Amino acid sequence: MKPLKVDFTSNAFSLDPRPTLTGLRRQGEVVRIKLPLLGAVWMTVSHAATSDMLKNNQLFTMRKPARKGHQKGDVTGMQWWMPRGIRLLSDNMLSNDEPDHRRLRKLVDQAFQRLSVMNMEASIDSLAKELADRLKVEPESRSVDLVEGFARRLPMTVICHLLGLSEPETEAFAKQAARLTNVSGIVSFLGAMIPIRRMRIMLETIVEAEHKRQAAGHAGTGLIAELVQAESDGDTLSHDELIAMIFLLLVAGHETTTHLISGSVLTLLQHPRQKEWLFEDEGRMDMAVEELLRFVSPVQFSKPRIVRNSGEFHGASLQAGDSIIACLAAANMDPQRFENPGRLDLERRPNPHLEFGTGIHFCLGFQLARLELKRALIALFEAFPNMELAPHGAEYSQRMGMRALKRLQVYPELAS
């Protein structure tokens, strides 16, 4: 089958992915696509095929076959020309099969439980209100960019606090992370090597300092201290795995939520009646959060996997060694699973969206993401109940696999 060519980085796709996703589903539940960096891959575009693929660890693997003399194969999607630093940082729990995945996930799960994410609601609420109050209106346009001024700062501050990073460290990481938004091809991928390398160096320095503190009997607080302790205890966590884990938590812990928050604000501004209904009763928020996760679908693709054995899968003839990727955005818009999926319905029940994935790689930070979105929306619309979208105020980045607003310019109006 000749791979289909679809521009998932186009502005038209970001503005409204539904026509493209509907067209792909007409081709079948699993289609052949050509993607930048990855080349020809299979892509699941139905809810059933996506769910089955993400759960089937016998047929699909996160790793290429191991080369002679190596214990593990390269991460799927990793190319020979990619720098060693990228290979090291990519070797995290999301790119491992069992039993390595279980070993790594258990360590960070235990640390998360000790820090009790769900007890953070009051502090996240306070931070969200503070950030809303600090939004600076541009004098000339009388508008404000919610992406840089709010949607990026909230999750970055929260995850850095969880990790135990200082305010200067948080600002330094935020500066580098902001440069990773527009990775859509080889050129932009190579351009991202500089901030990624700087972030790795910063993490190495922070981990080394934490080792010294613990050796002196003055352990720090937060996830980094917990994970350093696990490494020191010989809990089968290598130094490279430690750095890769922290990098994953830092980047994944803020990037996806940034685009979830900004995309949800834009969606509510585009659906004023549903926004009014939502804020008539704050008790409706949890239900609305699930629909916004489905409707916005900021994380559009899963990590690629390799087909272990040839065979039929949801109507596609897969060959051993083929690459396959799940289109979460398509699964979340599948009319076979959702009634009138193109319509925003904040009362939708049930809502079995796959935005957090499913199976063993189900998103670790799902509770935190839901909590941050909830408190972010409440803080913003309490501060600016009459907020309006500025003309041409929504600008998307050309980020592959991520529906990411680069700018969300709004006219705020303080509550009287």
Side-chain angles (χ1 to χ4, degrees):
M1 176 187 291
K2 187 177 180 180
L4 301 171
K5 291 185 179 180
V6 180
D7 188 359
F8 292 106
T9 66
S10 71
N11 191 55
F13 180 77
S14 294
L15 284 170
D16 188 2
R18 289 170 294 183
T20 299
L21 299 178
T22 299
L24 287 175
R25 268 195 305 274
R26 291 196 186 106
Q27 305 292 322
E29 292 190 70
V30 184
V31 297
R32 194 76 165 151
I33 293 283
K34 188 172 183 180
L35 296 177
L37 297 177
L38 295 178
V41 301
W42 292 101
M43 177 180 286
T44 64
V45 292
S46 73
H47 190 283
T50 298
S51 179
D52 288 349
M53 192 274 268
L54 294 176
K55 292 176 180 177
N56 194 331
N57 304 304
Q58 285 70 47
L59 181 56
F60 305 109
T61 172
M62 306 299 299
R63 296 280 180 164
K64 298 177 182 178
R67 290 173 290 167
K68 189 176 181 180
H70 291 74
Q71 289 186 332
K72 291 196 300 185
D74 285 338
V75 175
T76 304
M78 193 62 57
Q79 307 296 329
W80 63 268
W81 49 265
M82 293 180 179
R84 180 176 178 273
I86 290 295
R87 294 174 182 274
L88 292 175
L89 292 176
S90 298
D91 191 4
N92 55 55
M93 63 183 178
L94 292 187
S95 58
N96 273 284
D97 301 312
E98 303 294 25
D100 284 324
H101 168 268
R102 186 184 301 111
R103 171 176 59 85
L104 295 170
R105 175 102 181 201
K106 179 181 177 182
L107 288 169
V108 74
D109 269 341
Q110 290 172 343
F112 255 79
Q113 288 168 12
R114 284 191 289 272
L115 293 173
S116 189
V117 169
M118 294 313 293
N119 289 336
M120 295 178 63
E121 184 163 10
S123 62
I124 293 174
D125 181 50
S126 177
L127 174 61
K129 289 177 178 177
E130 178 186 340
L131 290 173
D133 290 342
R134 282 167 43 190
L135 282 171
K136 294 182 179 179
V137 177
E138 298 171 8
E140 292 184 4
S141 64
R142 297 182 296 110
S143 65
V144 62
D145 178 14
L146 287 185
V147 175
E148 291 304 319
F150 185 89
R152 188 175 296 281
R153 288 183 177 273
L154 176 64
M156 174 61 83
T157 304
V158 171
I159 193 60
C160 285
H161 173 74
L162 264 175
L163 288 168
L165 299 178
S166 67
E167 189 170 332
E169 289 166 342
T170 298
E171 289 299 320
F173 278 114
K175 182 178 179 181
Q176 298 304 322
R179 300 176 62 187
L180 303 179
T181 304
N182 286 320
V183 178
S184 59
I186 293 177
V187 175
S188 54
F189 178 85
L190 292 174
M193 294 304 99
I194 295 175
I196 288 175
R197 182 173 181 274
R198 288 174 178 169
M199 292 170 79
R200 178 180 171 82
I201 291 172
M202 285 191 283
L203 289 178
E204 293 275 7
T205 302
I206 290 167
V207 166
E208 182 181 356
E210 181 57 33
H211 271 298
K212 291 179 179 178
R213 278 194 295 269
Q214 293 192 8
H218 304 293
T221 59
L223 278 170
I224 290 179
E226 295 269 0
L227 293 171
V228 167
Q229 183 64 54
E231 180 200 19
S232 300
D233 290 344
D235 212 353
T236 62
L237 184 67
S238 72
H239 178 72
D240 285 343
E241 287 175 335
L242 172 63
I243 297 298
M245 179 76 79
I246 299 170
F247 183 82
L248 171 66
L249 293 171
L250 180 65
V251 175
H254 90 276
E255 181 76 5
T256 56
T257 311
T258 293
H259 306 311
L260 173 62
I261 292 171
S262 55
S264 295
V265 171
L266 174 60
T267 298
L268 291 177
L269 291 178
Q270 293 171 330
H271 297 80
R273 289 186 180 179
Q274 293 214 46
K275 185 200 78 167
E276 289 174 12
W277 173 86
L278 173 60
F279 288 99
E280 287 173 0
D281 181 357
E282 192 175 306
R284 298 167 175 170
M285 186 60 72
D286 289 338
M287 185 169 52
V289 161
E290 298 309 309
E291 175 67 349
L292 289 167
L293 279 159
R294 184 197 71 84
F295 192 84
V296 176
S297 289
V299 181
Q300 298 186 317
F301 304 152
S302 72
K303 284 185 174 293
R305 289 155 168 78
I306 293 288
V307 179
R308 294 183 193 264
N309 303 303
S310 301
E312 290 289 315
F313 182 74
H314 286 266
S317 297
L318 308 185
Q319 300 299 311
D322 285 351
S323 295
I324 187 168
I325 194 168
C327 186
L328 306 178
N332 290 338
M333 286 287 171
D334 187 351
Q336 294 297 317
R337 199 66 180 86
F338 302 96
E339 183 179 352
N340 198 358
R343 175 178 178 271
L344 179 72
D345 180 4
L346 299 183
E347 296 183 81
R348 187 182 297 275
R349 283 184 177 174
N351 197 337
H353 66 80
L354 294 176
E355 188 57 15
F356 291 127
T358 187
I360 65 170
H361 292 288
F362 186 78
C363 177
L364 176 71
F366 71 101
Q367 290 179 319
L368 185 59
R370 284 170 168 151
L371 185 56
E372 287 178 305
L373 177 59
K374 176 181 177 179
R375 299 322 310 183
L377 293 177
I378 291 172
L380 276 175
F381 285 102
E382 279 185 353
F384 310 115
N386 300 314
M387 184 194 310
E388 292 185 7
L389 181 65
H392 312 292
E395 180 183 356
Y396 285 92
S397 73
Q398 293 183 314
R399 177 73 179 273
M400 186 68 187
M402 188 77 70
R403 194 178 183 205
L405 279 164
K406 183 164 61 175
R407 181 177 61 88
L408 182 59
Q409 212 75 21
V410 300
Y411 295 130
E413 183 178 328
L414 289 172
S416 57

